[in-house]
Amino acid sequence: MHSPHLLLEEPIRMASVLEPSKSSFFPAMTKIVGTLGTKSRSVDVISSCLKAGMSVARFDFSLGDVDYHQETLENLKMAVKSTKKLCAVMLDTVGPELQVINKSGNPISLEADATVVLTPDQNREASSEVLPINFTGLATAVKPGDTIFIGQYLFTGSETTSVWLEVTSTEGDDVACAIKNSATLAGSLFTLHASQVHIDLPTLSEADKDVISRWGVKNKTDFLSLSYTRHAEDVRHARDFLSKLGELQQTQIFAKIENIEGLIHFDEILQEADGIILSRGNLGIDLPPEKVFLFQKAALYKCNTSGKPAVVTRVVDSMTDNLRPTRAEATDVANAVLDGSDAILLGAETLRGLYPVETISIVGKICAEAEKVFNHDLYFKKTVKYVGEPMSHLESIASSAVRAAIKVKASVIICFTSSGRAARLIAKYRPTMPVISVVIPRLKTNQLRWSFTGAFEARQSLIVRGLFPMLADPRHPAESTSSTNESVLKVALEYGKASGVIKSHDRVVVCQKVGDASVVKIIELED
């Protein structure tokens, strides 16, 4: 794996460190996925999250039922309408997740060196001695010496809220474990992760299918986050299931890599999936800590070269309870950007954290600073070299648009697209400037009614670094040779001016189709 050195060719001036950060309409080119839940489901808070820079809202079905999430989504729709900020919707499946069930909800104190029994008998009360779980096959899957971690909403790594167990023996369906650290588990549901142990459960559970069929179809979900993806077959199975649900044929599948199995089959999973989520919470437990960075860099490099969006999770855990990230976390966010991440996913930080809006804002600011020192020029050259020759027609047009924009120091690239593919290819080359993706709707019919495409394609670019979509008037066809394209361009330029990314005398690169030909043109704006 050869990862490019992504800092400026010239040494970074120390003086620039002291310059105040400038705010802009687009907080950062890197996108932010926010998980909506307990502390972030009111219209006011969601509106503030959108203004702070959230472009994808994640709905985690490990917590809350369909009605709960529907109520949150209705609030999101109101927030989108009031802020006029587009937001995509991501449905996160539960998958083969093992859970500890604490019906009473009372805190459970576990003491180091004591013993606790994990049992599938959910009629038993959760206590310091017994923890009921939702899986009968754990006793046959583990062996003495295996490691098990338990924590609320994944694993914070905090020694007081997550517990580390070592399997000592099994008896029937029960698993006896030695407790390695003292901790208090608070809440009614905890995630259990058996490190490097194969759990024989389907990746897409019946409960997941039910949620997708009911909630996903009704709300035309943009992204499906496929938890615990272990093989390419998992993605194919999920896509086959979505294809039978009509409205969700266009839903993109993001494979969540969170264990050794997913890591081993990463290349084949990447080929099948539309994007990748590096779920570092669980992955950091399956892998030795010193190996996590290596997988992150290798995986992001592979996603970048294949032109598929990569999302990194678990970056500012401490902001769940604190107003500022630690220095290590701030550096970690910046490194994720320099490594090539398209988006940062915030989980507990926005779901149940005390400062969801501030977290999004601070992460956005760190991303923006990292983007300033990202060596776009070197990255472009390396990507062109990697793609090689002969290029496909579309790849050639996309790279030409970026090359032209770099040469003339354009302030923005405007790309006309109906499928979104051309805009994503331009973004693959990581231009320095934002790419405004003008999605031209197409009219389609299922023999019963006519409808316009375009909304899906526009929202799905909200997870791609540097892509900022706008939906064109459906009366303007995508491949027109008449003046309609000029009027759509005028609307796009006005949007760019209102956003503050286009000013008088700026140069703008436009990529569009005219008849059968693809055209890249440079325009210089007058006063």
Side-chain angles (χ1 to χ4, degrees), residues 266-282:
F266 184 82
D267 289 353
E268 62 188 63
I269 291 170
L270 178 60
Q271 272 191 309
E272 285 293 327
D274 297 299
I276 295 287
I277 297 173
L278 302 184
S279 186
R280 302 191 310 173
N282 285 342

mmCIF file of all heavy atoms in Angstrom, residues 266-282:
data_model
loop_
_atom_site.group_PDB
_atom_site.id
_atom_site.type_symbol
_atom_site.label_atom_id
_atom_site.label_comp_id
_atom_site.label_asym_id
_atom_site.label_seq_id
_atom_site.Cartn_x
_atom_site.Cartn_y
_atom_site.Cartn_z
ATOM 1 N N PHE A 266 -12.143 -7.563 2.671
ATOM 2 C CA PHE A 266 -12.382 -6.149 2.359
ATOM 3 C C PHE A 266 -12.441 -5.873 0.856
ATOM 4 O O PHE A 266 -13.342 -5.171 0.379
ATOM 5 C CB PHE A 266 -11.292 -5.267 3.002
ATOM 6 C CG PHE A 266 -11.526 -3.791 2.791
ATOM 7 C CD1 PHE A 266 -12.390 -3.096 3.614
ATOM 8 C CD2 PHE A 266 -10.902 -3.110 1.749
ATOM 9 C CE1 PHE A 266 -12.635 -1.740 3.414
ATOM 10 C CE2 PHE A 266 -11.140 -1.754 1.541
ATOM 11 C CZ PHE A 266 -11.995 -1.069 2.376
ATOM 12 N N ASP A 267 -11.493 -6.396 0.092
ATOM 13 C CA ASP A 267 -11.419 -6.077 -1.341
ATOM 14 C C ASP A 267 -12.680 -6.490 -2.085
ATOM 15 O O ASP A 267 -13.216 -5.735 -2.908
ATOM 16 C CB ASP A 267 -10.192 -6.738 -1.986
ATOM 17 C CG ASP A 267 -8.896 -6.085 -1.528
ATOM 18 O OD1 ASP A 267 -8.978 -5.058 -0.823
ATOM 19 O OD2 ASP A 267 -7.809 -6.603 -1.844
ATOM 20 N N GLU A 268 -13.177 -7.697 -1.792
ATOM 21 C CA GLU A 268 -14.383 -8.152 -2.499
ATOM 22 C C GLU A 268 -15.616 -7.393 -2.023
ATOM 23 O O GLU A 268 -16.546 -7.135 -2.809
ATOM 24 C CB GLU A 268 -14.568 -9.671 -2.315
ATOM 25 C CG GLU A 268 -14.769 -10.113 -0.873
ATOM 26 C CD GLU A 268 -14.767 -11.629 -0.699
ATOM 27 O OE1 GLU A 268 -13.737 -12.253 -0.979
ATOM 28 O OE2 GLU A 268 -15.816 -12.153 -0.292
ATOM 29 N N ILE A 269 -15.655 -7.007 -0.747
ATOM 30 C CA ILE A 269 -16.777 -6.214 -0.224
ATOM 31 C C ILE A 269 -16.793 -4.845 -0.901
ATOM 32 O O ILE A 269 -17.846 -4.350 -1.317
ATOM 33 C CB ILE A 269 -16.675 -6.053 1.317
ATOM 34 C CG1 ILE A 269 -16.932 -7.394 2.011
ATOM 35 C CG2 ILE A 269 -17.666 -5.006 1.826
ATOM 36 C CD1 ILE A 269 -16.618 -7.416 3.505
ATOM 37 N N LEU A 270 -15.605 -4.233 -1.044
ATOM 38 C CA LEU A 270 -15.490 -2.916 -1.673
ATOM 39 C C LEU A 270 -16.021 -2.937 -3.105
ATOM 40 O O LEU A 270 -16.683 -1.998 -3.549
ATOM 41 C CB LEU A 270 -14.031 -2.452 -1.647
ATOM 42 C CG LEU A 270 -13.717 -1.101 -2.306
ATOM 43 C CD1 LEU A 270 -14.497 0.032 -1.642
ATOM 44 C CD2 LEU A 270 -12.222 -0.801 -2.262
ATOM 45 N N GLN A 271 -15.756 -4.031 -3.819
ATOM 46 C CA GLN A 271 -16.246 -4.149 -5.196
ATOM 47 C C GLN A 271 -17.770 -4.140 -5.259
ATOM 48 O O GLN A 271 -18.361 -3.555 -6.165
ATOM 49 C CB GLN A 271 -15.733 -5.449 -5.825
ATOM 50 C CG GLN A 271 -14.371 -5.298 -6.481
ATOM 51 C CD GLN A 271 -14.035 -6.531 -7.315
ATOM 52 O OE1 GLN A 271 -14.128 -7.654 -6.836
ATOM 53 N NE2 GLN A 271 -13.667 -6.326 -8.556
ATOM 54 N N GLU A 272 -18.411 -4.778 -4.293
ATOM 55 C CA GLU A 272 -19.870 -4.917 -4.304
ATOM 56 C C GLU A 272 -20.601 -3.712 -3.726
ATOM 57 O O GLU A 272 -21.695 -3.371 -4.168
ATOM 58 C CB GLU A 272 -20.288 -6.162 -3.497
ATOM 59 C CG GLU A 272 -20.029 -7.475 -4.198
ATOM 60 C CD GLU A 272 -20.891 -7.666 -5.444
ATOM 61 O OE1 GLU A 272 -22.042 -7.182 -5.471
ATOM 62 O OE2 GLU A 272 -20.405 -8.292 -6.399
ATOM 63 N N ALA A 273 -20.017 -3.081 -2.705
ATOM 64 C CA ALA A 273 -20.713 -2.009 -1.976
ATOM 65 C C ALA A 273 -20.619 -0.673 -2.707
ATOM 66 O O ALA A 273 -19.761 -0.471 -3.561
ATOM 67 C CB ALA A 273 -20.133 -1.883 -0.573
ATOM 68 N N ASP A 274 -21.523 0.245 -2.353
ATOM 69 C CA ASP A 274 -21.487 1.604 -2.917
ATOM 70 C C ASP A 274 -20.555 2.497 -2.117
ATOM 71 O O ASP A 274 -20.134 3.557 -2.583
ATOM 72 C CB ASP A 274 -22.901 2.209 -2.919
ATOM 73 C CG ASP A 274 -23.853 1.427 -3.810
ATOM 74 O OD1 ASP A 274 -23.584 1.343 -5.020
ATOM 75 O OD2 ASP A 274 -24.846 0.882 -3.295
ATOM 76 N N GLY A 275 -20.258 2.095 -0.896
ATOM 77 C CA GLY A 275 -19.367 2.861 -0.036
ATOM 78 C C GLY A 275 -19.001 2.023 1.178
ATOM 79 O O GLY A 275 -19.556 0.934 1.379
ATOM 80 N N ILE A 276 -18.071 2.517 1.969
ATOM 81 C CA ILE A 276 -17.567 1.759 3.130
ATOM 82 C C ILE A 276 -17.640 2.626 4.383
ATOM 83 O O ILE A 276 -17.340 3.823 4.342
ATOM 84 C CB ILE A 276 -16.091 1.340 2.899
ATOM 85 C CG1 ILE A 276 -15.972 0.354 1.715
ATOM 86 C CG2 ILE A 276 -15.470 0.758 4.163
ATOM 87 C CD1 ILE A 276 -16.469 -1.050 1.965
ATOM 88 N N ILE A 277 -18.045 2.018 5.495
ATOM 89 C CA ILE A 277 -17.972 2.685 6.797
ATOM 90 C C ILE A 277 -16.965 1.914 7.642
ATOM 91 O O ILE A 277 -17.126 0.716 7.878
ATOM 92 C CB ILE A 277 -19.347 2.714 7.502
ATOM 93 C CG1 ILE A 277 -20.352 3.537 6.679
ATOM 94 C CG2 ILE A 277 -19.217 3.295 8.912
ATOM 95 C CD1 ILE A 277 -21.775 3.497 7.198
ATOM 96 N N LEU A 278 -15.897 2.600 8.051
ATOM 97 C CA LEU A 278 -14.901 1.969 8.925
ATOM 98 C C LEU A 278 -15.376 2.152 10.360
ATOM 99 O O LEU A 278 -15.220 3.220 10.948
ATOM 100 C CB LEU A 278 -13.530 2.624 8.755
ATOM 101 C CG LEU A 278 -12.920 2.623 7.349
ATOM 102 C CD1 LEU A 278 -11.535 3.221 7.396
ATOM 103 C CD2 LEU A 278 -12.872 1.224 6.779
ATOM 104 N N SER A 279 -16.011 1.110 10.886
ATOM 105 C CA SER A 279 -16.600 1.185 12.219
ATOM 106 C C SER A 279 -15.522 0.882 13.260
ATOM 107 O O SER A 279 -15.349 -0.245 13.706
ATOM 108 C CB SER A 279 -17.758 0.188 12.327
ATOM 109 O OG SER A 279 -18.419 0.340 13.539
ATOM 110 N N ARG A 280 -14.801 1.925 13.653
ATOM 111 C CA ARG A 280 -13.604 1.727 14.461
ATOM 112 C C ARG A 280 -13.902 1.316 15.901
ATOM 113 O O ARG A 280 -13.008 0.851 16.597
ATOM 114 C CB ARG A 280 -12.741 2.991 14.437
ATOM 115 C CG ARG A 280 -12.335 3.397 13.023
ATOM 116 C CD ARG A 280 -11.288 4.465 13.023
ATOM 117 N NE ARG A 280 -11.628 5.585 13.886
ATOM 118 C CZ ARG A 280 -10.809 6.604 14.159
ATOM 119 N NH1 ARG A 280 -9.604 6.635 13.617
ATOM 120 N NH2 ARG A 280 -11.184 7.581 14.945
ATOM 121 N N GLY A 281 -15.162 1.470 16.339
ATOM 122 C CA GLY A 281 -15.509 1.050 17.696
ATOM 123 C C GLY A 281 -15.291 -0.438 17.879
ATOM 124 O O GLY A 281 -14.501 -0.879 18.713
ATOM 125 N N ASN A 282 -15.990 -1.237 17.070
ATOM 126 C CA ASN A 282 -15.842 -2.685 17.156
ATOM 127 C C ASN A 282 -14.517 -3.150 16.563
ATOM 128 O O ASN A 282 -13.880 -4.069 17.071
ATOM 129 C CB ASN A 282 -16.995 -3.382 16.430
ATOM 130 C CG ASN A 282 -18.272 -3.321 17.243
ATOM 131 O OD1 ASN A 282 -18.243 -3.080 18.443
ATOM 132 N ND2 ASN A 282 -19.394 -3.529 16.601
#
